Amino acid sequence: MAAEPLKTLFHPYEVDAVALPRKDARVLFLGAEPGFRPPEGFTAAPHLVQGFRPHFRALQASGFNVTPQAEGAGFDAALVLAGRHRGQNELRIAEAIERVSPGGSIIVAGGKEDGIASLRKRIDELVLLDGHLPKHHGIAFWFARPADTGAASALRAANPDFVVEGRYHTAPGMFSFDKVDVGSKLLVDNLPYDLRGSIADFCAGWGYVAAEVAARSSGISSLDLFEADFASLEAAKGNIGNTAAETHFFWTDLLSEPVERRYDVIVMNPPFHRSRAAEPEIGAGMIHAAAKALKPGGKLFMVANRQLPYEPVLAKAFSSHAEIARDGMFKVFSARR
């Protein structure tokens, strides 16, 4: 996310539309991202919540108190940074209402291109807003936490956990939370049925690829899932199902944190963007991480969007590679270390 919504979030304090919290106030910051700068006079030490591992590590390195999921109640105020996922935004506001004491201030902000105007209208239907302000290509709005949590209940009811194909439990904000990703399915459909030994799923999401691998290959001794999104990894723990393989789960930023174990096979559907524009260097970094984590002779199976130029990266990182499938949108590669 750009830095603009972070500035928008603190704007109500800067213009005295919302009173600054006391120095000893307990302030919850949901969806916190690196780079925010509280205004002059904001002396409270906020409790940050961020489940995306790269952001979490950056915030932690800056000295902030940060956890991957919210903890505790009785907060005096809450800040909510809204993003592109409507359901996730509504659930964060519900969480703020549940964890802030009655009467405490809740400020929400996001970019106009991410639908913050419609989010403001949605919340205005449930609680009495105290105000809103446009600034930095975004909108901030705020309200006092109501005496009851009826608004939070309504938001949670509108955004229930999802069950994909009758078995995979997901939630709004996760990648492809409402259906099996087409690229992931193409990858699974073109994997060998006789995978053996130690297997890893890089960028495992809520566990679809790993669960399908475990179900179809009986020769797996261990199955490790690596994922940067904390909530998705927690969902994957329940989605793997019963398997004879020993399973491990790693909340990891594969682009910056080393993988200590070595594998016979790695399967992977890497992300290719952090914003709206494609960023092939993310996938390239994942390919290099996979090459380092494979045993000599180990194999990588990965899916990618057809237009992304990963062939030269694979050629440099592996002794051999081949395209083994494609459809109108995606291509599947195998590569041997």
Side-chain angles (χ1 to χ4, degrees):
M1 177 181 289
E4 298 298 307
L6 283 169
K7 293 189 288 186
T8 305
L9 184 61
F10 288 95
H11 183 63
Y13 292 126
E14 294 173 335
V15 297
D16 296 325
V18 178
L20 288 165
R22 307 181 316 272
K23 183 176 182 178
D24 62 347
R26 299 179 65 234
V27 179
L28 180 66
F29 189 172
L30 297 167
E33 292 190 8
F36 72 90
R37 291 182 174 83
E40 185 177 354
F42 191 106
T43 54
H47 175 82
L48 279 50
V49 179
Q50 176 53 257
F52 182 52
R53 183 73 175 174
H55 290 343
F56 173 92
R57 296 186 72 222
L59 291 166
Q60 195 174 57
S62 297
F64 290 108
N65 175 22
V66 54
T67 58
Q69 58 188 4
E71 302 170 353
F75 287 92
D76 300 298
L79 301 164
V80 180
L81 184 64
R84 296 172 59 186
H85 302 284
R86 178 192 61 81
Q88 185 180 54
N89 292 335
E90 293 189 3
L91 290 173
R92 282 178 176 169
I93 294 172
E95 184 129 50
I97 293 170
E98 292 162 349
R99 296 185 183 275
V100 170
S101 298
S105 65
I106 298 174
I107 304 177
V108 183
K112 291 181 179 179
E113 71 279 8
D114 291 331
I116 188 65
S118 62
L119 180 64
R120 177 182 68 82
K121 292 177 182 177
R122 167 67 170 145
I123 302 306
D124 196 24
E125 296 171 352
L126 300 173
V127 298
L128 177 65
L129 296 186
D130 292 332
H132 70 277
L133 285 171
K135 191 68 175 179
H136 305 298
H137 308 290
I139 296 173
F141 62 88
W142 59 95
F143 59 94
R145 195 276 206 187
D148 60 55
T149 58
S153 298
L155 291 169
R156 290 202 179 277
N159 298 281
D161 287 352
F162 211 82
V163 182
V164 177
E165 296 191 347
R167 61 165 292 195
Y168 299 111
H169 292 261
T170 70
M174 299 178 188
F175 170 69
S176 194
F177 83 97
D178 57 346
K179 61 183 181 301
V180 171
D181 171 63
V182 176
S184 294
K185 187 175 188 310
L186 184 67
L187 173 61
V188 165
D189 289 346
N190 287 279
L191 290 175
Y193 278 84
D194 59 349
L195 296 178
R196 306 185 64 83
S198 56
I199 312 294
D201 183 357
F202 280 13
C203 315
W206 44 260
Y208 166 73
V209 173
E212 293 295 321
V213 167
R216 63 198 285 168
S217 296
S218 60
I220 297 175
S221 59
S222 66
L223 179 61
D224 291 356
L225 283 72
F226 292 80
E227 172 55 40
D229 180 66
F230 185 85
S232 296
L233 191 65
E234 289 297 295
K237 292 177 181 179
N239 289 334
I240 288 297
N242 295 325
T243 174
E246 183 179 353
T247 56
H248 306 91
F249 301 86
F250 298 92
W251 183 43
T252 301
D253 175 12
L254 288 164
L255 295 181
S256 64
E257 295 181 272
V259 176
E260 302 298 337
R261 298 161 70 94
R262 294 295 175 261
Y263 299 99
D264 296 296
V265 176
I266 293 176
V267 296
M268 182 169 70
N269 180 3
F272 62 91
H273 62 81
R274 280 167 290 218
S275 57
R276 286 181 167 81
E279 299 176 71
E281 67 272 12
I282 300 176
M286 298 294 180
I287 290 170
H288 287 295
K292 292 177 182 177
L294 281 167
K295 298 175 183 178
K299 296 193 74 173
L300 168 69
F301 296 92
M302 69 169 285
V303 64
N305 285 54
R306 282 181 55 172
Q307 75 274 17
L308 295 176
Y310 290 144
E311 289 84 351
V313 184
L314 289 164
K316 184 176 181 180
F318 290 86
S319 61
S320 64
H321 74 279
E323 182 181 304
I324 59 174
R326 72 163 50 207
D327 62 12
M329 296 177 60
F330 299 98
K331 53 191 175 184
V332 178
F333 295 106
S334 68
R336 183 179 296 275
R337 184 183 170 193

